[in-house]
Amino acid sequence: MKKLYKMIALVGTLSLAFLFLSGCQKDKSKQPNVQLSQKELALAAYLDNYIDQYQTKDVTTAIANNAKQYQFSIRRMENKGYVVQNNPTIANGTTISKVSLDHNRIKSVNFNGEKRIGTQKYSKLQLELKYGKYKKQMDRLIKRANEEKDDQLTHEEVAMAIYVDTFKADDEDVPSAIGRLANFPDHSMKTDGDALKINIGGTGSASEEFYFEDGRVKGVTHDGIYEKTTKNYQVAEINQNFHQYKDNLKSLIDKVQNT
C-alpha cells in the first residue's frame, strides 16, 4: 500500500511539474521576437487603421500602398506621440492616425480626412506580436517619411506646377500663367481616392488628375467626356524646373482651395 501511495505522489508531482513547464512555455510563446521602437509602434497602429478603412488584404500591401504616397509623413506630437498620415491634404481619402504612447499602452485616434472614425487601444506586446515580422519593411517606410522635404515642392505644388505647364499659352512664362489662372472664378482642387484632381475654369477640358507613385507622377488631362491624354513625369525633374516658383504655386493653391 505504501508503494501505491508513493507512486500516486510521484505521478502527482510529475503532473504538476508538467503543467508548470507547459505554462512557462506558453508564456514564452507570447513574447515577441522583435522589439518595436515608439515610432514603429505608431506606424503599426496607423497600418491597423489603414487596413481597416481600406480592407487591405495584408500588411505588406498596406505598407507598399503608403510607400507610393509622395507626402506620407510621421510627425512628432507634443504629448509623446506621433501623427501618421498618407497625404498632407485633409480631405476624404486621407488616412490619419494620432497615436499616443504611455509606457506599454498605445492609443490611436483615427480619421478619414476630417471625419473621426474611432479610437483603438493596444498593448505594446499586441502590436509587436502582429507587426514585428514587418519591422524591416516598416523601417524603409519610416526612412522615406523622414527624408527632408522642406526645400522641395509639396505633393500639391508638384501637381499644380504640371497643371500650369499643361494649360499655359506658348508665349506665357510661368508667373504670367499662374496670374491668369488665378483670375478664373471657377476652380477646385480635391483628393478623390488615389487621385488629386485640379480644375480651373469649370469645364471638363480644364481638368487634370494626378497619381503619385514612388518618385513619379502621372497626369491625365481630359478633352471632353471620352478623350483623355496621359503623361508621366519625374517628381525630381518637376522640383528642379519649378522650385523657383514655389511661392507663386502656393498662392494659387491657397486661392483655389480657400475661395
Side-chain angles (χ1 to χ4, degrees):
M1 184 64 70
K2 288 183 179 180
K3 288 183 178 181
L4 178 61
Y5 287 145
K6 287 181 178 180
M7 288 180 65
I8 293 172
L10 178 61
V11 170
T13 302
L14 291 173
S15 298
L16 289 172
F18 176 77
L19 290 172
F20 175 77
L21 291 173
S22 297
C24 290
Q25 185 64 34
K26 187 176 179 181
D27 290 340
K28 184 178 180 180
S29 68
K30 289 184 178 181
Q31 298 303 312
N33 293 324
V34 179
Q35 300 287 323
L36 297 181
S37 68
Q38 286 200 337
K39 188 173 285 189
E40 289 165 345
L41 289 167
L43 177 56
Y46 165 85
L47 290 170
D48 239 33
N49 171 27
Y50 182 90
I51 291 169
D52 184 59
Q53 285 197 43
Y54 291 97
Q55 297 299 301
T56 313
K57 65 178 183 178
D58 54 40
V59 176
T60 297
T61 302
I63 293 172
N65 288 350
N66 282 278
K68 295 175 183 177
Q69 298 297 320
Y70 173 63
Q71 289 289 302
F72 177 85
S73 64
I74 303 176
R75 306 191 316 276
R76 183 74 170 160
M77 293 194 301
E78 292 182 1
N79 62 339
K80 298 181 180 179
Y82 295 88
V83 178
V84 188
Q85 63 191 79
N86 63 349
N87 194 313
T89 302
I90 309 301
N92 184 40
T94 302
T95 308
I96 305 169
S97 291
K98 296 182 178 180
V99 185
S100 56
L101 303 102
D102 182 14
H103 299 293
N104 291 324
R105 298 187 297 273
I106 296 101
K107 182 174 76 172
S108 179
V109 183
N110 302 320
F111 299 82
N112 183 319
E114 295 182 350
K115 182 180 178 181
R116 180 168 173 169
I117 301 299
T119 300
Q120 291 291 332
K121 295 181 179 180
Y122 309 90
S123 68
K124 183 175 182 289
L125 176 62
Q126 183 181 356
L127 289 176
E128 287 176 335
L129 286 171
K130 182 174 180 179
Y131 288 94
K133 59 185 173 182
Y134 303 102
K135 179 180 172 69
K136 289 184 178 179
Q137 293 169 262
M138 291 168 62
D139 285 345
R140 285 194 291 269
L141 183 55
I142 289 170
K143 181 179 178 181
R144 181 180 181 82
N146 288 343
E147 289 175 352
E148 185 61 51
K149 296 184 176 73
D150 290 344
D151 61 347
Q152 298 181 14
L153 298 179
T154 66
H155 192 153
E156 289 80 7
E157 289 163 355
V158 168
M160 186 60 81
I162 297 171
Y163 184 91
V164 169
D165 194 51
T166 299
F167 291 97
K168 76 180 182 67
D170 292 339
D171 59 347
E172 274 186 317
D173 57 21
V174 173
S176 298
I178 290 175
R180 176 174 59 80
L181 291 170
N183 291 323
F184 279 88
D186 296 322
H187 42 243
S188 65
M189 185 176 191
K190 60 184 181 180
T191 302
D192 185 3
D194 291 336
L196 175 61
K197 296 183 177 181
I198 301 176
N199 188 312
I200 299 178
T203 66
S205 58
S207 68
E208 188 165 7
E209 300 167 8
F210 301 92
Y211 301 85
F212 287 82
E213 182 173 354
D214 296 326
R216 302 181 300 276
V217 57
K218 178 174 69 175
V220 180
T221 53
H222 296 266
D223 184 7
I225 299 176
Y226 302 107
E227 297 295 325
K228 63 181 182 180
T229 303
T230 300
K231 189 173 180 180
N232 295 304
Y233 306 86
Q234 294 293 326
V235 170
E237 184 177 354
I238 300 300
N239 266 293
Q240 182 177 349
N241 294 338
F242 291 90
H243 183 266
Q244 60 185 309
Y245 308 114
K246 183 177 176 71
D247 290 341
N248 307 70
L249 293 166
K250 186 176 184 303
S251 295
L252 179 57
I253 291 168
D254 288 343
K255 181 169 185 180
V256 168
Q257 290 182 331
N258 299 315
T259 60

